[in-house]
Amino acid sequence: MRNSRIIGAGMFVPPKVVTNDDLSKLMDTSDEWIVERSGIKERRYAEDGVGVSDLAVEASKKALAQAGLEPKDIDLIIFATLSPDYYFPGSGVLLQHKLGCRDIAAIDIRQQCSGFIYGLSIADQYIKTGQSERVLVVGAEIHSCGLDFSTRGRDVTVLFGDGAGVVILAPGEAGKGILSTHLHSDGGHFDKLWTPAPMACRHPRLSHEILDQGLHYPIMDGKFIFKMAIGKFAEIVEDALRANGYTLEDLDLFIPHQANLRISNMVGKKLGLPDEKVFNNIQKYGNTTAGSIPIAISEALEQGKIKEGSLVCLASFGSGLTWASALIRW
């Protein structure tokens, strides 16, 4: 069975920068308050009418250029997002059309913060089994049009931003590329981080009462998620290394989902990793959910923090609850 490897990566964030001071004009918050709790200084917001498929097109072009490929060379799209352009159809087919791909399969998945690693795992299996040769894996989000810009919603709103990241997978040599992926979930805590409405099982799905109560905005039990994330992040990193016969000393770079700088720092300390081995860019982009890890991969490559032969671990934790990791030999 052949391995799969990443042959191209790209990212795109909207040009509009929104600072903490900008948000302080809309709600009772401050730059100091936000930085202390999350490490975030600014984030990007898409303009009205721009969807996640549009962000993904721009990120895909960069990944294709890096890989030396054309859209016609892609034979599968896997699109991870919690914020699709429409309720239906999914954003994968929109990307297929806008990018100019052939009439290939497009799979949409919804694992929120773990969506990219789940998508990477699916793509890995398609490559390994010989069903695909070039797979485009997308993580993209537009949070800005679904947040509560009032003091009521500040705890969640200040955390999130818009952006897209893309990688392209292709067959690789044995011992390199994606060594393993590890996926987990626990739906018993689904309401610790969720959007209560609209609900497909309730009539009506949306009402004035729902809107008045703000149930169409995301809700998070921050303390619970914070505590769980630290434990699960450390656990799945160690699982990935153990499964492949490596130790933490062998790891060259850890790329966590960019949820909160405090979480990333505490996980790094718990694992005993020096700061230079933990990649963080949440300060600039906020939490871009499914987009955060591929955006980080693209920047880490650009900055030379991932080199030929680097051992890199990706890890995520978020809504669902879901958590996942992937170990990659570059």
Tab-separated table of all heavy atoms in Angstrom, residues 24-83:
chain	number	residue	atom	x	y	z
A	24	SER	N	-13.783	46.647	20.270
A	24	SER	CA	-14.118	47.353	21.515
A	24	SER	C	-15.105	48.484	21.279
A	24	SER	O	-15.745	48.969	22.217
A	24	SER	CB	-12.846	47.891	22.176
A	24	SER	OG	-12.299	48.964	21.420
A	25	LYS	N	-15.251	48.897	20.020
A	25	LYS	CA	-16.225	49.935	19.687
A	25	LYS	C	-17.634	49.363	19.528
A	25	LYS	O	-18.609	50.116	19.484
A	25	LYS	CB	-15.804	50.637	18.397
A	25	LYS	CG	-14.465	51.341	18.497
A	25	LYS	CD	-13.997	51.848	17.145
A	25	LYS	CE	-12.605	52.462	17.228
A	25	LYS	NZ	-12.085	52.860	15.907
A	26	LEU	N	-17.720	48.017	19.464
A	26	LEU	CA	-19.005	47.360	19.244
A	26	LEU	C	-19.519	46.645	20.490
A	26	LEU	O	-20.706	46.314	20.568
A	26	LEU	CB	-18.882	46.335	18.097
A	26	LEU	CG	-18.398	46.882	16.754
A	26	LEU	CD1	-18.173	45.728	15.784
A	26	LEU	CD2	-19.411	47.862	16.179
A	27	MET	N	-18.632	46.374	21.438
A	27	MET	CA	-19.009	45.610	22.626
A	27	MET	C	-18.107	45.998	23.781
A	27	MET	O	-17.081	46.665	23.584
A	27	MET	CB	-18.911	44.106	22.336
A	27	MET	CG	-17.511	43.668	21.965
A	27	MET	SD	-17.406	41.970	21.323
A	27	MET	CE	-18.067	42.199	19.671
A	28	ASP	N	-18.464	45.564	24.962
A	28	ASP	CA	-17.687	45.872	26.157
A	28	ASP	C	-16.483	44.937	26.229
A	28	ASP	O	-16.538	43.866	26.830
A	28	ASP	CB	-18.554	45.722	27.403
A	28	ASP	CG	-17.809	46.110	28.672
A	28	ASP	OD1	-16.726	46.721	28.558
A	28	ASP	OD2	-18.312	45.793	29.771
A	29	THR	N	-15.397	45.343	25.584
A	29	THR	CA	-14.170	44.555	25.600
A	29	THR	C	-13.003	45.494	25.369
A	29	THR	O	-13.175	46.702	25.210
A	29	THR	CB	-14.208	43.450	24.517
A	29	THR	OG1	-13.112	42.564	24.725
A	29	THR	CG2	-14.149	44.031	23.112
A	30	SER	N	-11.795	44.951	25.351
A	30	SER	CA	-10.605	45.772	25.133
A	30	SER	C	-9.500	44.899	24.573
A	30	SER	O	-9.546	43.664	24.659
A	30	SER	CB	-10.134	46.406	26.449
A	30	SER	OG	-9.675	45.403	27.337
A	31	ASP	N	-8.499	45.550	24.007
A	31	ASP	CA	-7.350	44.811	23.491
A	31	ASP	C	-6.693	44.002	24.607
A	31	ASP	O	-6.359	42.823	24.428
A	31	ASP	CB	-6.341	45.795	22.880
A	31	ASP	CG	-5.084	45.114	22.391
A	31	ASP	OD1	-5.162	44.333	21.429
A	31	ASP	OD2	-4.012	45.339	22.985
A	32	GLU	N	-6.527	44.602	25.770
A	32	GLU	CA	-5.892	43.916	26.894
A	32	GLU	C	-6.693	42.686	27.308
A	32	GLU	O	-6.124	41.612	27.565
A	32	GLU	CB	-5.766	44.880	28.075
A	32	GLU	CG	-5.093	44.263	29.292
A	32	GLU	CD	-5.025	45.226	30.463
A	32	GLU	OE1	-5.713	46.275	30.419
A	32	GLU	OE2	-4.299	44.925	31.422
A	33	TRP	N	-8.011	42.807	27.369
A	33	TRP	CA	-8.890	41.715	27.798
A	33	TRP	C	-8.798	40.543	26.823
A	33	TRP	O	-8.689	39.382	27.222
A	33	TRP	CB	-10.330	42.229	27.889
A	33	TRP	CG	-11.310	41.288	28.512
A	33	TRP	CD1	-11.628	41.185	29.834
A	33	TRP	CD2	-12.144	40.331	27.827
A	33	TRP	NE1	-12.607	40.224	30.028
A	33	TRP	CE2	-12.931	39.684	28.812
A	33	TRP	CE3	-12.289	39.954	26.495
A	33	TRP	CZ2	-13.853	38.688	28.492
A	33	TRP	CZ3	-13.200	38.960	26.175
A	33	TRP	CH2	-13.973	38.332	27.164
A	34	ILE	N	-8.818	40.837	25.527
A	34	ILE	CA	-8.794	39.787	24.507
A	34	ILE	C	-7.431	39.103	24.461
A	34	ILE	O	-7.345	37.863	24.416
A	34	ILE	CB	-9.152	40.371	23.126
A	34	ILE	CG1	-10.594	40.897	23.135
A	34	ILE	CG2	-8.994	39.306	22.039
A	34	ILE	CD1	-10.966	41.695	21.892
A	35	VAL	N	-6.352	39.894	24.474
A	35	VAL	CA	-5.012	39.318	24.408
A	35	VAL	C	-4.733	38.445	25.623
A	35	VAL	O	-4.156	37.354	25.503
A	35	VAL	CB	-3.948	40.435	24.293
A	35	VAL	CG1	-2.545	39.859	24.449
A	35	VAL	CG2	-4.075	41.148	22.959
A	36	GLU	N	-5.140	38.899	26.795
A	36	GLU	CA	-4.899	38.128	28.022
A	36	GLU	C	-5.577	36.771	27.971
A	36	GLU	O	-5.025	35.766	28.439
A	36	GLU	CB	-5.407	38.911	29.234
A	36	GLU	CG	-5.201	38.194	30.555
A	36	GLU	CD	-5.777	38.961	31.737
A	36	GLU	OE1	-6.073	40.155	31.583
A	36	GLU	OE2	-5.942	38.345	32.808
A	37	ARG	N	-6.775	36.694	27.395
A	37	ARG	CA	-7.556	35.454	27.394
A	37	ARG	C	-7.302	34.556	26.190
A	37	ARG	O	-7.578	33.362	26.243
A	37	ARG	CB	-9.051	35.788	27.484
A	37	ARG	CG	-9.456	36.254	28.873
A	37	ARG	CD	-10.751	37.037	28.878
A	37	ARG	NE	-11.133	37.404	30.243
A	37	ARG	CZ	-10.577	38.396	30.926
A	37	ARG	NH1	-9.603	39.105	30.378
A	37	ARG	NH2	-10.976	38.664	32.159
A	38	SER	N	-6.800	35.126	25.095
A	38	SER	CA	-6.681	34.321	23.872
A	38	SER	C	-5.378	34.494	23.107
A	38	SER	O	-5.029	33.649	22.288
A	38	SER	CB	-7.833	34.665	22.932
A	38	SER	OG	-7.693	35.994	22.440
A	39	GLY	N	-4.677	35.608	23.329
A	39	GLY	CA	-3.477	35.893	22.565
A	39	GLY	C	-3.737	36.564	21.231
A	39	GLY	O	-2.809	36.930	20.505
A	40	ILE	N	-5.001	36.750	20.887
A	40	ILE	CA	-5.372	37.284	19.573
A	40	ILE	C	-5.251	38.810	19.564
A	40	ILE	O	-5.746	39.484	20.459
A	40	ILE	CB	-6.813	36.874	19.211
A	40	ILE	CG1	-6.929	35.351	19.136
A	40	ILE	CG2	-7.238	37.506	17.880
A	40	ILE	CD1	-8.360	34.848	19.070
A	41	LYS	N	-4.586	39.325	18.521
A	41	LYS	CA	-4.467	40.772	18.337
A	41	LYS	C	-5.395	41.274	17.224
A	41	LYS	O	-5.927	42.377	17.292
A	41	LYS	CB	-3.023	41.139	17.980
A	41	LYS	CG	-2.021	40.902	19.092
A	41	LYS	CD	-2.182	41.880	20.228
A	41	LYS	CE	-1.837	43.295	19.828
A	41	LYS	NZ	-1.932	44.238	20.981
A	42	GLU	N	-5.581	40.456	16.188
A	42	GLU	CA	-6.423	40.844	15.058
A	42	GLU	C	-6.905	39.607	14.327
A	42	GLU	O	-6.444	38.489	14.578
A	42	GLU	CB	-5.662	41.765	14.099
A	42	GLU	CG	-4.401	41.136	13.537
A	42	GLU	CD	-3.565	42.121	12.739
A	42	GLU	OE1	-3.464	43.297	13.148
A	42	GLU	OE2	-3.016	41.698	11.689
A	43	ARG	N	-7.854	39.799	13.422
A	43	ARG	CA	-8.390	38.722	12.608
A	43	ARG	C	-8.829	39.322	11.277
A	43	ARG	O	-8.880	40.550	11.122
A	43	ARG	CB	-9.549	37.984	13.296
A	43	ARG	CG	-10.837	38.740	13.465
A	43	ARG	CD	-10.844	39.829	14.517
A	43	ARG	NE	-10.714	39.322	15.871
A	43	ARG	CZ	-10.124	39.967	16.834
A	43	ARG	NH1	-9.601	41.180	16.605
A	43	ARG	NH2	-10.034	39.469	18.047
A	44	ARG	N	-9.194	38.479	10.316
A	44	ARG	CA	-9.629	38.953	9.005
A	44	ARG	C	-11.119	38.665	8.823
A	44	ARG	O	-11.606	37.610	9.225
A	44	ARG	CB	-8.842	38.262	7.890
A	44	ARG	CG	-7.333	38.420	7.983
A	44	ARG	CD	-6.906	39.873	7.849
A	44	ARG	NE	-5.456	40.003	7.874
A	44	ARG	CZ	-4.683	40.045	6.793
A	44	ARG	NH1	-5.229	39.965	5.585
A	44	ARG	NH2	-3.381	40.172	6.900
A	45	TYR	N	-11.829	39.601	8.198
A	45	TYR	CA	-13.246	39.435	7.892
A	45	TYR	C	-13.462	39.565	6.389
A	45	TYR	O	-12.943	40.491	5.750
A	45	TYR	CB	-14.098	40.492	8.602
A	45	TYR	CG	-14.311	40.261	10.082
A	45	TYR	CD1	-15.022	41.205	10.839
A	45	TYR	CD2	-13.825	39.139	10.739
A	45	TYR	CE1	-15.242	41.023	12.199
A	45	TYR	CE2	-14.031	38.956	12.100
A	45	TYR	CZ	-14.742	39.897	12.822
A	45	TYR	OH	-14.950	39.716	14.173
A	46	ALA	N	-14.246	38.664	5.833
A	46	ALA	CA	-14.580	38.713	4.413
A	46	ALA	C	-15.599	39.813	4.141
A	46	ALA	O	-16.404	40.166	5.012
A	46	ALA	CB	-15.132	37.362	3.968
A	47	GLU	N	-15.569	40.335	2.941
A	47	GLU	CA	-16.547	41.334	2.525
A	47	GLU	C	-17.890	40.668	2.263
A	47	GLU	O	-17.971	39.459	2.013
A	47	GLU	CB	-16.062	42.051	1.260
A	47	GLU	CG	-14.769	42.839	1.441
A	47	GLU	CD	-14.905	43.983	2.439
A	47	GLU	OE1	-16.036	44.499	2.601
A	47	GLU	OE2	-13.890	44.358	3.059
A	48	ASP	N	-18.951	41.455	2.304
A	48	ASP	CA	-20.291	40.954	2.053
A	48	ASP	C	-20.364	40.303	0.667
A	48	ASP	O	-19.861	40.864	-0.313
A	48	ASP	CB	-21.303	42.092	2.151
A	48	ASP	CG	-22.743	41.604	2.066
A	48	ASP	OD1	-23.047	40.545	2.633
A	48	ASP	OD2	-23.556	42.284	1.407
A	49	GLY	N	-20.959	39.116	0.590
A	49	GLY	CA	-21.107	38.422	-0.679
A	49	GLY	C	-19.988	37.448	-0.995
A	49	GLY	O	-20.077	36.697	-1.974
A	50	VAL	N	-18.930	37.434	-0.194
A	50	VAL	CA	-17.826	36.496	-0.384
A	50	VAL	C	-18.090	35.252	0.449
A	50	VAL	O	-18.358	35.342	1.651
A	50	VAL	CB	-16.484	37.125	0.027
A	50	VAL	CG1	-15.365	36.095	-0.026
A	50	VAL	CG2	-16.164	38.314	-0.862
A	51	GLY	N	-18.034	34.075	-0.177
A	51	GLY	CA	-18.281	32.821	0.522
A	51	GLY	C	-17.014	32.020	0.734
A	51	GLY	O	-15.940	32.359	0.204
A	52	VAL	N	-17.123	30.927	1.494
A	52	VAL	CA	-15.935	30.106	1.759
A	52	VAL	C	-15.374	29.496	0.483
A	52	VAL	O	-14.162	29.282	0.370
A	52	VAL	CB	-16.215	28.991	2.791
A	52	VAL	CG1	-16.390	29.565	4.178
A	52	VAL	CG2	-17.396	28.138	2.402
A	53	SER	N	-16.230	29.222	-0.492
A	53	SER	CA	-15.711	28.679	-1.754
A	53	SER	C	-14.835	29.701	-2.461
A	53	SER	O	-13.854	29.341	-3.131
A	53	SER	CB	-16.861	28.234	-2.662
A	53	SER	OG	-17.681	29.325	-3.035
A	54	ASP	N	-15.143	30.990	-2.309
A	54	ASP	CA	-14.318	32.037	-2.917
A	54	ASP	C	-12.946	32.105	-2.250
A	54	ASP	O	-11.915	32.256	-2.926
A	54	ASP	CB	-15.014	33.395	-2.806
A	54	ASP	CG	-16.339	33.437	-3.547
A	54	ASP	OD1	-16.363	33.031	-4.721
A	54	ASP	OD2	-17.342	33.856	-2.946
A	55	LEU	N	-12.925	32.010	-0.924
A	55	LEU	CA	-11.639	31.984	-0.217
A	55	LEU	C	-10.845	30.748	-0.627
A	55	LEU	O	-9.622	30.813	-0.828
A	55	LEU	CB	-11.855	31.976	1.295
A	55	LEU	CG	-12.642	33.128	1.925
A	55	LEU	CD1	-12.613	32.997	3.446
A	55	LEU	CD2	-12.093	34.477	1.500
A	56	ALA	N	-11.542	29.620	-0.759
A	56	ALA	CA	-10.878	28.359	-1.105
A	56	ALA	C	-10.294	28.389	-2.511
A	56	ALA	O	-9.245	27.779	-2.768
A	56	ALA	CB	-11.856	27.201	-0.972
A	57	VAL	N	-10.940	29.089	-3.431
A	57	VAL	CA	-10.409	29.212	-4.794
A	57	VAL	C	-9.028	29.856	-4.764
A	57	VAL	O	-8.072	29.365	-5.387
A	57	VAL	CB	-11.357	30.034	-5.696
A	57	VAL	CG1	-10.645	30.446	-6.984
A	57	VAL	CG2	-12.606	29.245	-6.031
A	58	GLU	N	-8.904	30.948	-4.019
A	58	GLU	CA	-7.625	31.666	-3.971
A	58	GLU	C	-6.543	30.824	-3.301
A	58	GLU	O	-5.383	30.800	-3.751
A	58	GLU	CB	-7.793	33.004	-3.244
A	58	GLU	CG	-8.783	33.951	-3.906
A	58	GLU	CD	-8.459	34.205	-5.360
A	58	GLU	OE1	-7.267	34.414	-5.676
A	58	GLU	OE2	-9.401	34.178	-6.182
A	59	ALA	N	-6.893	30.134	-2.213
A	59	ALA	CA	-5.918	29.270	-1.541
A	59	ALA	C	-5.533	28.093	-2.433
A	59	ALA	O	-4.367	27.682	-2.469
A	59	ALA	CB	-6.493	28.765	-0.222
A	60	SER	N	-6.500	27.561	-3.180
A	60	SER	CA	-6.243	26.426	-4.073
A	60	SER	C	-5.287	26.806	-5.198
A	60	SER	O	-4.417	26.018	-5.581
A	60	SER	CB	-7.560	25.913	-4.669
A	60	SER	OG	-8.418	25.417	-3.677
A	61	LYS	N	-5.447	28.006	-5.742
A	61	LYS	CA	-4.552	28.464	-6.814
A	61	LYS	C	-3.099	28.472	-6.341
A	61	LYS	O	-2.180	28.095	-7.077
A	61	LYS	CB	-4.965	29.859	-7.283
A	61	LYS	CG	-6.268	29.896	-8.075
A	61	LYS	CD	-6.632	31.331	-8.442
A	61	LYS	CE	-7.930	31.391	-9.242
A	61	LYS	NZ	-8.336	32.806	-9.533
A	62	LYS	N	-2.892	28.899	-5.109
A	62	LYS	CA	-1.534	28.947	-4.560
A	62	LYS	C	-0.986	27.540	-4.345
A	62	LYS	O	0.191	27.263	-4.631
A	62	LYS	CB	-1.526	29.732	-3.244
A	62	LYS	CG	-1.859	31.204	-3.418
A	62	LYS	CD	-1.886	31.926	-2.075
A	62	LYS	CE	-2.251	33.395	-2.253
A	62	LYS	NZ	-2.305	34.116	-0.964
A	63	ALA	N	-1.835	26.635	-3.844
A	63	ALA	CA	-1.400	25.253	-3.633
A	63	ALA	C	-1.081	24.574	-4.962
A	63	ALA	O	-0.093	23.836	-5.084
A	63	ALA	CB	-2.475	24.475	-2.882
A	64	LEU	N	-1.909	24.809	-5.971
A	64	LEU	CA	-1.672	24.232	-7.300
A	64	LEU	C	-0.363	24.742	-7.891
A	64	LEU	O	0.411	23.984	-8.477
A	64	LEU	CB	-2.839	24.565	-8.230
A	64	LEU	CG	-4.141	23.810	-7.991
A	64	LEU	CD1	-5.304	24.486	-8.712
A	64	LEU	CD2	-4.016	22.356	-8.437
A	65	ALA	N	-0.123	26.039	-7.749
A	65	ALA	CA	1.114	26.623	-8.275
A	65	ALA	C	2.336	26.013	-7.593
A	65	ALA	O	3.339	25.691	-8.250
A	65	ALA	CB	1.099	28.138	-8.083
A	66	GLN	N	2.258	25.830	-6.285
A	66	GLN	CA	3.378	25.243	-5.553
A	66	GLN	C	3.639	23.804	-5.992
A	66	GLN	O	4.790	23.362	-6.065
A	66	GLN	CB	3.112	25.288	-4.048
A	66	GLN	CG	4.309	24.918	-3.198
A	66	GLN	CD	4.012	25.018	-1.712
A	66	GLN	OE1	3.757	24.023	-1.046
A	66	GLN	NE2	4.053	26.236	-1.196
A	67	ALA	N	2.544	23.084	-6.297
A	67	ALA	CA	2.664	21.683	-6.720
A	67	ALA	C	2.971	21.535	-8.206
A	67	ALA	O	3.251	20.428	-8.675
A	67	ALA	CB	1.372	20.937	-6.380
A	68	GLY	N	2.891	22.631	-8.947
A	68	GLY	CA	3.117	22.564	-10.384
A	68	GLY	C	1.996	21.862	-11.120
A	68	GLY	O	2.228	21.184	-12.132
A	69	LEU	N	0.767	22.045	-10.656
A	69	LEU	CA	-0.398	21.370	-11.231
A	69	LEU	C	-1.406	22.374	-11.760
A	69	LEU	O	-1.353	23.561	-11.443
A	69	LEU	CB	-1.071	20.486	-10.177
A	69	LEU	CG	-0.246	19.349	-9.561
A	69	LEU	CD1	-1.050	18.665	-8.465
A	69	LEU	CD2	0.187	18.350	-10.623
A	70	GLU	N	-2.341	21.853	-12.555
A	70	GLU	CA	-3.481	22.612	-13.049
A	70	GLU	C	-4.747	22.041	-12.422
A	70	GLU	O	-4.750	20.901	-11.952
A	70	GLU	CB	-3.567	22.514	-14.578
A	70	GLU	CG	-2.365	23.052	-15.316
A	70	GLU	CD	-2.241	24.559	-15.189
A	70	GLU	OE1	-3.291	25.227	-14.980
A	70	GLU	OE2	-1.110	25.070	-15.296
A	71	PRO	N	-5.853	22.811	-12.398
A	71	PRO	CA	-7.114	22.278	-11.843
A	71	PRO	C	-7.537	20.947	-12.457
A	71	PRO	O	-8.101	20.090	-11.769
A	71	PRO	CB	-8.119	23.391	-12.161
A	71	PRO	CG	-7.293	24.639	-12.140
A	71	PRO	CD	-5.986	24.238	-12.757
A	72	LYS	N	-7.244	20.724	-13.726
A	72	LYS	CA	-7.634	19.478	-14.400
A	72	LYS	C	-6.902	18.269	-13.832
A	72	LYS	O	-7.325	17.117	-14.044
A	72	LYS	CB	-7.359	19.583	-15.893
A	72	LYS	CG	-5.904	19.757	-16.268
A	72	LYS	CD	-5.707	19.855	-17.768
A	72	LYS	CE	-4.246	20.116	-18.136
A	72	LYS	NZ	-3.330	19.064	-17.652
A	73	ASP	N	-5.810	18.499	-13.107
A	73	ASP	CA	-5.036	17.400	-12.536
A	73	ASP	C	-5.642	16.855	-11.246
A	73	ASP	O	-5.275	15.768	-10.791
A	73	ASP	CB	-3.598	17.853	-12.255
A	73	ASP	CG	-2.871	18.291	-13.506
A	73	ASP	OD1	-3.011	17.605	-14.535
A	73	ASP	OD2	-2.167	19.323	-13.453
A	74	ILE	N	-6.542	17.601	-10.634
A	74	ILE	CA	-7.168	17.186	-9.374
A	74	ILE	C	-8.286	16.177	-9.676
A	74	ILE	O	-9.100	16.391	-10.569
A	74	ILE	CB	-7.747	18.403	-8.622
A	74	ILE	CG1	-6.635	19.406	-8.307
A	74	ILE	CG2	-8.476	17.968	-7.348
A	74	ILE	CD1	-5.531	18.871	-7.416
A	75	ASP	N	-8.321	15.079	-8.917
A	75	ASP	CA	-9.382	14.094	-9.157
A	75	ASP	C	-10.314	13.876	-7.964
A	75	ASP	O	-11.206	13.040	-8.002
A	75	ASP	CB	-8.809	12.756	-9.623
A	75	ASP	CG	-7.759	12.179	-8.690
A	75	ASP	OD1	-7.678	12.616	-7.531
A	75	ASP	OD2	-7.018	11.283	-9.133
A	76	LEU	N	-10.135	14.670	-6.895
A	76	LEU	CA	-11.052	14.604	-5.752
A	76	LEU	C	-10.888	15.865	-4.924
A	76	LEU	O	-9.770	16.336	-4.705
A	76	LEU	CB	-10.758	13.370	-4.886
A	76	LEU	CG	-11.537	13.233	-3.575
A	76	LEU	CD1	-13.042	13.077	-3.842
A	76	LEU	CD2	-11.024	12.050	-2.755
A	77	ILE	N	-11.999	16.414	-4.451
A	77	ILE	CA	-12.002	17.554	-3.530
A	77	ILE	C	-12.656	17.128	-2.227
A	77	ILE	O	-13.740	16.533	-2.233
A	77	ILE	CB	-12.772	18.752	-4.111
A	77	ILE	CG1	-12.049	19.340	-5.328
A	77	ILE	CG2	-12.980	19.841	-3.050
A	77	ILE	CD1	-12.863	20.383	-6.077
A	78	ILE	N	-12.007	17.430	-1.123
A	78	ILE	CA	-12.597	17.229	0.203
A	78	ILE	C	-12.625	18.590	0.879
A	78	ILE	O	-11.578	19.208	1.080
A	78	ILE	CB	-11.814	16.210	1.040
A	78	ILE	CG1	-11.781	14.854	0.321
A	78	ILE	CG2	-12.428	16.061	2.431
A	78	ILE	CD1	-10.897	13.832	0.988
A	79	PHE	N	-13.817	19.050	1.217
A	79	PHE	CA	-14.001	20.414	1.704
A	79	PHE	C	-14.551	20.371	3.130
A	79	PHE	O	-15.666	19.931	3.373
A	79	PHE	CB	-14.995	21.148	0.797
A	79	PHE	CG	-14.908	22.651	0.853
A	79	PHE	CD1	-14.682	23.384	-0.301
A	79	PHE	CD2	-15.054	23.346	2.043
A	79	PHE	CE1	-14.602	24.772	-0.279
A	79	PHE	CE2	-14.977	24.721	2.099
A	79	PHE	CZ	-14.751	25.440	0.926
A	80	ALA	N	-13.748	20.845	4.075
A	80	ALA	CA	-14.155	20.897	5.476
A	80	ALA	C	-14.546	22.324	5.847
A	80	ALA	O	-13.753	23.247	5.673
A	80	ALA	CB	-13.016	20.423	6.375
A	81	THR	N	-15.762	22.495	6.333
A	81	THR	CA	-16.215	23.808	6.793
A	81	THR	C	-17.463	23.666	7.645
A	81	THR	O	-18.252	22.734	7.457
A	81	THR	CB	-16.517	24.749	5.608
A	81	THR	OG1	-16.842	26.050	6.112
A	81	THR	CG2	-17.672	24.246	4.761
A	82	LEU	N	-17.656	24.573	8.603
A	82	LEU	CA	-18.918	24.646	9.341
A	82	LEU	C	-19.754	25.818	8.834
A	82	LEU	O	-20.872	26.032	9.293
A	82	LEU	CB	-18.671	24.776	10.847
A	82	LEU	CG	-17.986	26.025	11.421
A	82	LEU	CD1	-18.906	27.235	11.494
A	82	LEU	CD2	-17.444	25.722	12.806
A	83	SER	N	-19.184	26.574	7.874
A	83	SER	CA	-19.845	27.786	7.390
A	83	SER	C	-19.936	27.768	5.862
A	83	SER	O	-19.332	28.606	5.192
A	83	SER	CB	-19.078	29.021	7.864
A	83	SER	OG	-17.689	28.905	7.549
